[in-house]
Amino acid sequence: MNTENNVAPDAGADVLQIAGETISSRLWLGSSLYPSPQVMGDAIAAATPGFVTVSLRRQSAAQVQEQVSEHGHWHLLHQQLASTGAKLLPNTAGCLSAREAILLAQMARELFATDWIKLEVIGDDYSLQPHPLQLVEAARELVAQGFKVLPYCTDDLVLCQTLLELGCAAVMPWGAPIGTGKGLMNPYQLKTLRERLPQAVLVVDAGLGKPSQAMAALEMGFDAVLLNTAVARANDPATMAAAFKQAVDGGRAAYRAGLMCERDQASPSTPTLGLPFWHQTGGGV
């Protein structure tokens, strides 16, 4: 449950629950772009993420089944990720239509034995911006099929409201285009989402490049962050993953503590009562 800005939540266990399930961490990681499976495993161990995403990419059902039966690729990947203890979150990355995304989600459910799905339907190849109409169409159908849908979307308020009304378990607006590392490009709109959707689970997904940016999202009241490139492409992914974990924990603690309100004028932290007159007025001898 979320609160309005600058108001601390009630003390007690700070548990993130989505669709009736407890998610162990507010830091979620992707599983692509790492230089090796070992490096990926080390990064995941350092982050202890709540979810680890895995993508089938856009392939035909026959191609996927061939990989499973002949090479065991997805079986081995599933085993490796499952051994970390994090929840698997298959995604529909690379899909350009609702139909493609629905088919890929169905295959992911069979391969990974999970109803969780990160829904992506890309509308622009340059910015990788989600296609709002196709996204809504896919979300409606997947929710009807019993999936726990977490859609990657823009920070448009009406789009986020629509996805939640359809039954999506959370919405995941971007901070910036995927892989750019530009952070929270539109903090005003993100704050608006948090204020207007106080009971929704909101996750900043994509565009984060620094731990400080993840901390800012959690300080703002977002429930979690999802990132990949910032860790996978770091010189030391495991150390970077640990840094993001600390930033996320710190940002959440700051939000729960209650952030001070910004002021336009300076306000002394040392009381002036009892000081000589010229100190109180700012004058001197």
Side-chain angles (χ1 to χ4, degrees):
M1 181 174 292
N2 303 293
T3 61
E4 296 180 359
N5 286 351
N6 303 315
V7 179
D10 293 337
D14 184 28
V15 177
L16 175 59
Q17 287 197 325
I18 306 177
E21 295 191 32
T22 298
I23 311 304
S24 61
S25 172
R26 296 174 186 274
L27 172 61
W28 306 354
L29 284 184
S31 60
S32 64
L33 303 178
Y34 292 90
S36 72
Q38 180 62 52
V39 172
M40 179 189 72
D42 291 343
I44 292 174
T48 61
F51 277 112
V52 175
T53 63
V54 57
S55 175
L56 299 179
R57 303 297 179 186
R58 282 189 298 141
Q59 304 176 79
S60 69
Q63 288 173 319
V64 172
Q65 290 301 326
E66 181 181 358
Q67 287 187 350
V68 172
S69 61
E70 294 186 5
H71 306 291
H73 172 75
W74 297 115
H75 177 68
L76 292 175
L77 179 61
H78 188 183
Q79 281 188 324
Q80 182 182 11
L81 294 178
S83 68
T84 67
K87 283 181 175 292
L88 290 182
L89 181 61
N91 69 28
T92 61
C95 291
L96 302 177
S97 70
R99 180 177 179 275
E100 287 181 324
I102 292 166
L103 289 174
L104 201 60
Q106 292 168 339
M107 287 190 287
R109 179 158 61 181
E110 292 299 318
L111 288 172
F112 298 112
T114 178
D115 290 332
W116 291 97
I117 192 72
K118 177 189 172 184
L119 177 60
E120 295 185 37
V121 185
I122 299 303
D124 179 68
D125 287 335
Y126 179 76
S127 65
L128 299 181
Q129 178 172 321
H131 193 303
L133 301 181
Q134 295 292 316
L135 187 66
V136 167
E137 181 181 339
R140 178 182 289 109
E141 178 60 27
L142 290 174
V143 168
Q145 293 184 17
F147 283 90
K148 298 167 185 173
V149 181
L150 306 179
Y152 160 64
C153 58
T154 62
D155 54 16
D156 182 90
L157 173 62
V158 176
L159 175 59
C160 290
Q161 287 176 321
T162 300
L163 291 166
L164 291 168
E165 289 168 359
L166 289 174
C168 291
V171 290
M172 305 202 295
W174 64 359
I178 295 172
T180 62
K182 292 182 177 295
L184 308 181
M185 293 186 64
N186 194 347
Y188 171 81
Q189 185 63 17
L190 292 174
K191 289 179 181 177
T192 298
L193 289 180
R194 183 69 286 169
E195 292 169 358
R196 294 289 302 276
L197 304 171
Q199 304 303 319
V201 176
L202 302 180
V203 180
V204 170
D205 176 14
L208 299 181
K210 303 174 184 177
S212 58
Q213 296 164 351
M215 176 176 277
L218 271 293
E219 287 176 343
M220 197 180 292
F222 276 76
D223 297 283
V225 294
L226 172 56
L227 55 109
N228 187 178
T229 309
V231 169
R233 292 305 194 201
N235 292 334
D236 184 345
T239 299
M240 185 62 75
F244 268 99
K245 174 179 171 58
Q246 294 169 6
V248 166
D249 290 344
R252 180 63 182 180
Y255 173 71
R256 284 174 55 78
L259 301 175
M260 67 169 285
C261 296
E262 293 184 5
R263 300 187 177 106
D264 292 329
Q265 293 183 322
S267 177
S269 56
T270 302
T272 58
L273 185 64
L275 292 178
F277 172 76
W278 54 88
H279 282 288
Q280 296 185 41
T281 61
V285 177

